[in-house]
Amino acid sequence: MAMSDTDDWRAAAATAGATGEGFAARAVLIALALGFLALFLVLPLVAVFAEAFRNGVGAWWAAFQDPDGLAAIRLTLIVTAIAVPANLVFGIAAAWAITKFRFPGKSLLITLIDLPFSVSPVVSGLVWVLLFGAQGLLGPFLKANGLQIIFAVPGLVLATIFVTFPFVARELIPLMEEQGTADEEAAMTLGASGLTTFVRVTLPNIKWGLLYGVLLCNARAMGEFGAVSVVSGHVRGLTNTMPLHVEILYNEYEFVAAFAMASLLAALALVTLVLKTFLEWRYGGHLAGGRGH
Amino acid sequence: MEIQIRDLAKDYGTVPALHSVDLDVKSGELLALLGPSGSGKTTLLRSIAGLEQASRGKIFFGEEEASATPVRERGVGFVFQHYALFKHMTVAENIGFGLSVRPRAKRPPKAAIRERVLSLLDLVRLKGLEDRYPAQLSGGQRQRVALARALAVDPKVLLLDEPFGALDAKVRKELRKWLREIHEETHYTTVFVTHDQEEALELADRVVVLDKGRIEQVGTPDEVYDAPATPFVFAFIGDSSELPVTVDQGRVWLYDRAVPLGLDVVGHGPARLFVRPQHWEVGAPANGLAGVVRSVLRHGPGRRAEVELGAGVSVTVDVSDDHAVRTGDRIGLKPSRWRLFLADGQAVAPIPARRPAASGFRA
Amino acid sequence: MAQALVLGRRTSGPGVLPGFGLSIGFTLVYLSLIVLIPLGALALKAAGLGVDGLLKIAFDARVLAALKISFGVAFAAALINAIFGVLVAWVLVRYDFPGRALVDAAVDLPFALPTAVAGIALAALYAGNGWVGALLEPYGIKVAYTPLGIMVALVFVGLPFVVRTVQPLMQELDREIEEASATLGASRLQTITRVLLPPLLPAVLTGFALAFARGVGEYGSVIFIAGNMPYVSEIAPLLIVIKLEEFDYRGATGIALIMLLVSFAMLLVINLIQAWSRKRYGHV
């Protein structure tokens, strides 16, 4: 009841100065923080575009005439188009099982789902080599059957799925936990089938959270470097994704072309950030409360 | 230490929170600031503490102008509604905090701080809990620690912002009694904010009633209850019914009916008549304002009736067990004590001197 | 898994919702195929090394140097991020300035920007002829192609962790707490150092541990700026790649296992910090 009193002064206290820092201290702290961010965040981003357009738009555009570059873009899109939907379906299934039912070992399951985030990208690639590589556990079997996973597209897809594995699930689990089961139970008591309930009740409730998870998953899938680098074999025009192609160009001193390709990926990151910020701003109430990534 | 407040005003941008407040708090007094939310009571308290910078006016602690001193040098003890205990410090560290942050020259030695902490814990009846963390205490215990922490620095004045607001009813009552006891023991000049009139009336030596940033009345609990200075105070404190009446030729009219007040009234024009439920005499319909009983409900030890006087006006009446009043009965009502305010808010007639022997007076 | 299904159904309460079998079945199969079996393959391979073999790999001079660099530089970078992360979070939460929302959004850039892009950009900036490198060159400070360059890259990738773990807690800091401190006579500096920052310590430590773990495993943003000199600026993940290219699967597995164990240890530490914080302060 007395809250509105309290709210009034809260708004004003920031300027009242009873408990704040002085103007000079504020200015120094803001300058320090912004200086740090400018040096470590803004400058690298600016450098990407500056280097990409160093010789003008024409040179930038020419970089995309290279068939190997185009192949890298195509391959990145293919890998992403497989990895993201796969993890999307998994994320929904895992979140449904974990949040709508009670069963033993649930917290262990959640920990295991988060596991790929704590594995180094290089190790995330290595595990597939150890499994499917020539000297791997299943290597002889694959060779006997003429199948190739490592140094081929399937390996790239598997490594990408591994590193982006938790994104959708870890966004949906807290969100659906908050929402509980009441809506679904209400729909079921009204005679809706399980599928109808999911499509017409659950999905609308989680769509923004789902989109948020997919957005982050997609950004990581397109940009992943370490894991795919290990399994790719770096065959130009065949097993190079965009980030790997950037590396090759850079190592061949094709700086403008390397940064041109990098500028596409940086633009993707910016679009991701903008969409993410928009979702948080506009639909923050429909997203899970605390989220790290 | 007495507090003098002179012409204190505060606005947030264009929204005034306090209009020119003048107030004297006597040394050693326990004073309540009472008002609805948005009345400015918290702003007034926070201005005294120095947590709020007034737009105009001065505050004196004794002879010294406190409003010129920043909060950390003002020497007030402030108790917050949600305790504001430091979660990462033990009870002892919380209480000793104010002493331990003093400049080295004025800081008591560790042993002296410890001693002070233990004696305060004794005072607030929390002996033995000095090494607990706030998370391990109940709400009531936390508020006691908060008070001990405020007292540790031997403040010039003690200020409490809705000190019991976050506690449940039973603990509230206990702590209220306890705060009164502590006050008797320590005699710090104390100002507390509350929106709970029962708390203000029971606990305080004097009550300041605020509304919309203005002081409506300052007085003892009896004064504000028995002789409300303004319509707002009458309506805000205790139960009452308000009748929209007109004063004409010395008499008070409810539409075309004369209200039997027992004496003539000076003034003219529309007015508001306030009567408390226990101040109606119930009789035959011909004897007073006639009305129909719409409902009778149990109310504490007695019964309380809603009586419709017609034209959409109804009043609340306490009925004694002697009168067998039932729903649907036609009865006559006569106010034994009342207060009349003309449209400009001025009370135009005194309350009759005779005091009714009503029981359950302060329900 | 079959047992889990049965158990699940039995303890799933009086719920009327369908799809438990399907969703948990798919979850477990997919989890096994994508995460558990591949990591199991690593464990199996590592088990084949034996303790002796593992120790031999770990104490190989080049491996030891790479591990030292990875852990040492990641630690230093996480420390820088802890300090500046708290500062950035403080400025974002406490002060209003033009463009604050934009800055807040930009903090997540290292999460969104592909590491290879960050790597070549940082390398270009800090090389002797780069914008920043050219400024430092006259003072004899070389960043690119030295361990200092690795640190710059790790500060970049770890930057959001401390900010994002500390920020929500800072937002919830009760204004009454600092007012209480002020009424008790504490100076602003005393209020900040003794009242406001200590409760944030668990969050800072958590953010530090996350940044550190990320830094130890980081690859893409580092290799371009590191110079990759064995014994000087060669990081452990790169050494795994090199071993793989030499078809030395055993060596790669050994290093990977050490890094995995450290990652899991960091996870454990984070959980312990949070359990401790919850117990003592009643919040995380």
Side-chain angles (χ1 to χ4, degrees):
Chain A
M1 200 178 142
M3 279 322 280
S4 76
D5 265 346
T6 318
D7 290 342
D8 284 346
W9 65 256
R10 255 172 215 288
T15 52
T19 53
E21 285 77 47
F23 177 78
R26 250 168 220 249
V28 169
L29 292 178
I30 291 177
L32 263 177
L34 292 186
F36 174 75
L37 293 179
L39 185 64
F40 281 97
L41 289 185
V42 182
L43 215 50
L45 192 65
V46 173
V48 171
F49 291 102
E51 294 287 338
F53 292 101
R54 171 188 287 261
N55 297 339
V57 179
W60 177 82
W61 180 247
F64 298 108
Q65 307 308 311
D66 170 24
D68 290 346
L70 291 177
I73 295 175
R74 197 177 311 120
L75 182 58
T76 289
L77 292 176
I78 290 170
V79 168
T80 306
I82 301 170
V84 173
N87 282 335
L88 169 70
V89 172
F90 162 73
I92 291 174
W96 180 266
I98 286 171
T99 62
K100 305 291 178 190
F101 304 93
R102 282 180 305 179
F103 54 92
K106 188 189 276 195
S107 58
L108 176 68
L109 182 57
I110 296 174
T111 308
L112 290 178
I113 288 174
D114 266 350
L115 206 54
F117 273 160
S118 36
V119 174
S120 166
V122 169
V123 178
S124 306
L126 171 71
V127 292
W128 296 106
V129 177
L130 295 180
L131 201 56
F132 295 126
Q135 298 178 44
L137 292 174
L138 300 177
F141 168 80
L142 293 175
K143 196 163 185 196
N145 290 285
L147 296 169
Q148 190 166 20
I149 292 181
I150 298 307
F151 307 144
V153 175
L156 296 171
V157 171
L158 286 173
T160 304
I161 290 181
F162 184 97
V163 295
T164 57
F165 182 84
F167 277 106
V168 178
R170 71 145 40 186
E171 176 59 30
L172 286 187
I173 291 169
L175 177 64
M176 285 167 70
E177 195 78 66
E178 281 165 34
Q179 291 176 343
T181 56
D183 286 9
E184 284 80 9
E185 283 167 1
M188 300 291 288
T189 60
L190 293 171
S193 71
L195 189 66
T196 310
T197 301
F198 177 76
V199 172
R200 295 194 38 193
V201 177
T202 308
L203 215 48
N205 275 341
I206 62 169
K207 62 182 173 200
W208 298 114
L210 201 62
L211 192 60
Y212 192 91
V214 167
L215 189 68
L216 300 183
C217 185
N218 179 67
R220 179 72 192 265
M222 288 193 163
E224 177 54 26
F225 177 74
V228 293
S229 163
V230 171
V231 296
S232 137
H234 307 280
V235 184
R236 285 187 83 133
L238 283 179
T239 62
N240 270 340
T241 60
M242 288 166 75
L244 295 176
H245 195 63
V246 168
E247 183 193 20
I248 287 184
L249 293 170
Y250 187 84
N251 287 341
E252 291 172 352
Y253 303 101
E254 299 261 6
F255 289 137
V256 169
F259 277 100
M261 188 63 85
S263 71
L264 268 196
L265 289 167
L268 168 78
L270 288 179
V271 169
T272 302
L273 275 190
V274 168
L275 289 177
K276 173 177 168 293
T277 307
F278 174 77
L279 282 178
E280 284 166 2
W281 167 73
R282 179 72 181 77
Y283 300 105
H286 305 279
L287 301 175
R291 99 178 50 73
H293 299 245
Chain B
M1 178 83 56
E2 75 261 15
I3 307 172
Q4 292 176 27
I5 297 165
R6 293 287 169 267
D7 188 29
L8 193 75
K10 169 79 188 172
D11 47 58
Y12 297 120
T14 55
V15 187
L18 283 179
H19 304 267
S20 181
V21 166
D22 288 282
L23 181 66
D24 289 300
V25 186
K26 296 172 198 156
S27 187
E29 176 176 42
L30 180 53
L31 184 85
L33 302 180
L34 173 66
S37 88
S39 61
K41 56 189 190 300
T42 297
T43 305
L44 179 54
L45 189 81
R46 292 173 56 83
S47 300
I48 299 173
L51 291 170
E52 209 75 63
Q53 203 66 47
S55 317
R56 193 182 71 219
K58 291 195 162 109
I59 298 165
F60 297 90
F61 289 173
E63 296 298 307
E64 181 196 351
E65 191 195 329
S67 38
T69 320
V71 52
R72 58 176 164 271
E73 290 155 29
R74 209 175 275 199
V76 298
F78 201 100
V79 176
F80 294 84
Q81 181 176 4
H82 298 103
Y83 331 123
L85 293 181
F86 308 134
K87 279 186 283 218
H88 60 289
M89 297 183 199
T90 62
V91 167
E93 286 165 345
N94 263 285
I95 298 175
F97 181 82
L99 297 172
S100 72
V101 294
R102 286 191 180 164
R104 205 169 295 268
K106 285 195 269 175
R107 192 186 309 161
K110 276 212 163 81
I113 295 180
R114 183 82 185 168
E115 200 174 310
R116 174 99 177 120
V117 166
L118 292 179
S119 82
L120 279 164
L121 274 172
D122 209 16
L123 177 75
V124 300
R125 325 258 196 283
L126 287 178
K127 222 174 178 171
L129 298 187
E130 57 268 25
D131 293 326
R132 298 269 188 95
Y133 284 92
Q136 301 166 315
L137 302 178
S138 73
Q141 288 173 327
R142 285 180 208 178
Q143 198 54 295
R144 287 165 192 249
V145 174
L147 182 71
R149 183 178 67 179
L151 293 178
V153 293
D154 193 22
K156 294 180 184 136
V157 300
L158 180 61
L159 308 170
L160 304 98
D161 184 9
E162 298 263 5
F164 312 127
L167 301 168
D168 64 50
K170 187 163 171 288
V171 181
R172 268 176 103 109
K173 278 225 160 86
E174 263 171 46
L175 279 194
R176 207 185 279 169
K177 204 168 139 239
W178 164 84
L179 180 62
R180 185 73 228 181
E181 285 165 20
I182 299 247
H183 182 73
E184 305 291 338
E185 271 179 62
T186 58
H187 278 291
Y188 282 106
T189 304
T190 305
V191 181
F192 73 99
V193 156
T194 181
H195 65 269
D196 179 345
Q197 45 173 296
E198 198 187 320
E199 195 167 289
L201 298 178
E202 261 187 50
L203 190 53
D205 296 321
R206 287 194 305 153
V207 177
V208 178
V209 185
L210 288 120
D211 182 43
K212 299 195 182 85
R214 288 196 170 82
I215 291 182
E216 293 275 324
Q217 187 171 8
V218 184
T220 63
D222 282 343
E223 282 164 359
V224 296
Y225 189 86
D226 290 337
T230 65
F232 172 81
V233 177
F234 210 120
F236 184 67
I237 294 186
D239 293 325
S240 60
S241 299
E242 181 186 340
L243 294 168
V245 294
T246 315
V247 180
D248 191 24
Q249 295 171 352
R251 310 210 42 192
V252 175
W253 302 85
L254 178 64
Y255 302 106
D256 54 347
R257 288 185 282 169
V259 183
L261 295 181
L263 49 81
D264 281 358
V265 166
V266 190
H268 186 78
R272 302 159 75 182
L273 179 71
F274 286 89
V275 184
R276 298 210 187 276
Q278 65 270 33
H279 295 153
W280 290 105
E281 286 169 6
V282 180
N287 218 342
L289 280 172
V292 179
V293 178
R294 285 296 167 214
S295 67
V296 185
L297 295 170
R298 197 78 222 161
H299 182 80
R303 287 179 304 152
R304 187 162 271 193
E306 278 304 309
V307 180
E308 193 182 318
L309 301 178
V313 179
S314 49
V315 293
T316 308
V317 179
D318 279 350
V319 286
S320 68
D321 293 337
D322 309 341
H323 288 271
V325 171
R326 278 177 316 215
T327 303
D329 284 358
R330 269 181 72 80
I331 57 170
L333 293 174
K334 209 190 266 182
S336 59
R337 297 178 62 187
W338 46 269
R339 210 156 166 89
L340 184 69
F341 297 95
L342 276 182
D344 59 5
Q346 287 303 302
V348 293
I351 291 172
R354 69 191 169 99
R355 294 180 70 93
S359 61
F361 187 68
R362 211 187 280 159
Chain C
M1 198 177 79
Q3 199 190 0
L5 284 178
V6 174
L7 278 174
R9 217 164 255 153
R10 199 182 301 147
T11 52
S12 63
V16 291
L17 300 180
F20 180 71
L22 183 68
S23 58
I24 193 78
F26 179 74
T27 299
L28 292 178
V29 169
Y30 190 84
L31 177 74
S32 304
L33 288 179
I34 299 296
V35 178
L36 301 183
I37 292 174
L39 284 176
L42 177 77
L44 205 66
K45 197 87 183 171
L49 295 173
V51 178
D52 283 355
L54 193 63
L55 287 178
K56 218 169 129 197
I57 292 165
F59 286 99
D60 171 77
R62 186 170 172 190
V63 173
L64 209 54
L67 288 172
K68 261 188 202 155
I69 289 162
S70 274
F71 286 110
V73 177
F75 188 88
L79 205 62
I80 290 176
N81 274 326
I83 294 163
F84 278 93
V86 169
L87 174 70
V88 168
W90 179 270
V91 165
L92 287 177
V93 170
R94 289 304 181 108
Y95 306 144
D96 211 0
F97 53 91
R100 191 184 60 171
L102 193 70
V103 174
D104 197 351
V107 167
D108 281 335
L109 182 70
F111 285 153
L113 194 69
T115 53
V117 178
I120 61 168
L122 289 171
L125 277 176
Y126 286 88
N129 58 353
W131 294 345
V132 183
L135 291 177
L136 298 173
E137 188 96 341
Y139 303 98
I141 305 172
K142 281 197 192 311
V143 179
Y145 320 124
T146 71
L148 206 55
I150 303 177
M151 197 174 76
V152 167
L154 295 188
V155 168
F156 174 83
V157 296
L159 193 150
F161 287 102
V162 175
V163 179
R164 292 304 186 219
T165 46
V166 171
Q167 202 176 9
L169 273 185
M170 227 178 233
Q171 233 138 20
E172 280 166 26
L173 274 184
D174 200 340
R175 199 137 218 149
E176 282 190 352
I177 297 286
E178 54 198 287
E179 289 181 344
S181 175
T183 61
L184 292 166
S187 71
R188 189 60 192 157
L189 195 64
Q190 283 172 322
T191 298
I192 291 174
T193 55
R194 294 188 53 179
V195 173
L196 295 180
L197 292 184
L200 299 176
L201 192 64
V204 176
L205 286 177
T206 301
F208 173 86
L210 288 169
F212 175 68
R214 171 75 198 259
V216 168
E218 179 56 24
Y219 177 70
S221 60
V222 175
I223 54 163
F224 296 98
I225 196 175
N228 308 324
M229 297 254 301
Y231 303 101
V232 177
S233 60
E234 184 177 66
I235 55 169
L238 177 65
L239 202 50
I240 293 180
V241 173
I242 292 173
K243 298 261 178 205
L244 271 181
E245 280 167 0
E246 294 167 353
F247 296 103
D248 177 7
Y249 282 24
R250 291 167 57 89
T253 306
I255 304 170
L257 185 72
I258 294 165
M259 291 180 57
L260 262 189
L261 291 178
V262 171
S263 302
F264 295 158
M266 290 317 291
L267 269 189
L268 189 69
V269 166
I270 291 168
N271 282 323
L272 288 178
I273 292 170
Q274 295 190 337
W276 169 76
S277 159
R278 200 175 294 121
K279 191 167 161 231
R280 178 145 165 202
Y281 304 144
H283 71 86
V284 180

